[in-house]
Amino acid sequence: MNPGILYVVGSPIGNLGDFSNRAVEILSSVDLIAAEDTRVTSVLLKKYSINKKCISYHEKNENIKFVKIIELLKIGNDVALISDAGTPCLSDPGYRIVNAARKDNIDV
C-alpha cells in the first residue's frame, strides 16, 4: 500500500473569503484534517460545506499527535494540516510532522 499525502494548507488571515479554491478542494478530499484549533477550523469548514473528520494538532499536543498522524499517513490516509490563520510551520505547529513525514518518504 502506498502512503498517503500530507497537505500543508494555508488558511485565510481575517477574511474567510480569501480561502483558495485549491484549499477547499484539498480539505474536501482528504481523510483527516489536523487543525491548530478545531473550533476555529470548524467555522471555515462550515462556510465551505466541508464535512471531514477534524482533530486538534497544536504545540501542546504535537509531541503525541504527530505519531498517530504519521501512522495514518503510512497506511494510505491523506491528511491536511491547517492552522488558525496563515500557513502551518511558519509560526504555528507543523515542523515536527512535516519533518517526520519527509523522513518516512511521505509526500508533503
Side-chain angles (χ1 to χ4, degrees):
M1 173 172 275
N2 292 331
I5 298 172
L6 176 64
Y7 293 94
V8 179
V9 179
S11 59
I13 299 174
N15 185 338
L16 294 181
D18 291 339
F19 207 39
S20 74
N21 290 334
R22 177 76 173 130
V24 171
E25 179 184 313
I26 296 280
L27 294 182
S28 296
S29 70
V30 295
D31 300 297
L32 177 70
I33 298 169
E36 182 178 7
D37 186 331
T38 56
R39 296 166 297 182
V40 172
T41 300
S42 69
V43 173
L44 183 67
L45 298 178
K46 184 176 179 181
K47 175 172 177 53
Y48 290 96
S49 302
I50 299 169
N51 186 22
K52 291 292 175 170
K53 182 175 180 179
C54 191
I55 63 167
S56 65
Y57 182 78
H58 47 74
E59 78 177 24
K60 292 182 181 170
N61 73 8
E62 70 177 326
N63 289 334
I64 297 166
K65 294 271 180 115
F66 92 95
V67 174
K68 177 181 172 135
I69 295 168
I70 292 296
E71 289 303 317
L72 290 170
L73 287 160
K74 284 181 179 180
I75 62 170
N77 291 283
D78 291 334
V79 177
L81 175 64
I82 188 169
S83 65
D84 291 351
T87 304
C89 302
L90 297 183
S91 62
D92 302 304
Y95 171 79
R96 180 181 307 272
I97 193 166
V98 169
N99 193 38
R102 298 299 298 152
K103 182 179 175 188
D104 287 332
N105 295 315
I106 295 168
D107 288 340
V108 178

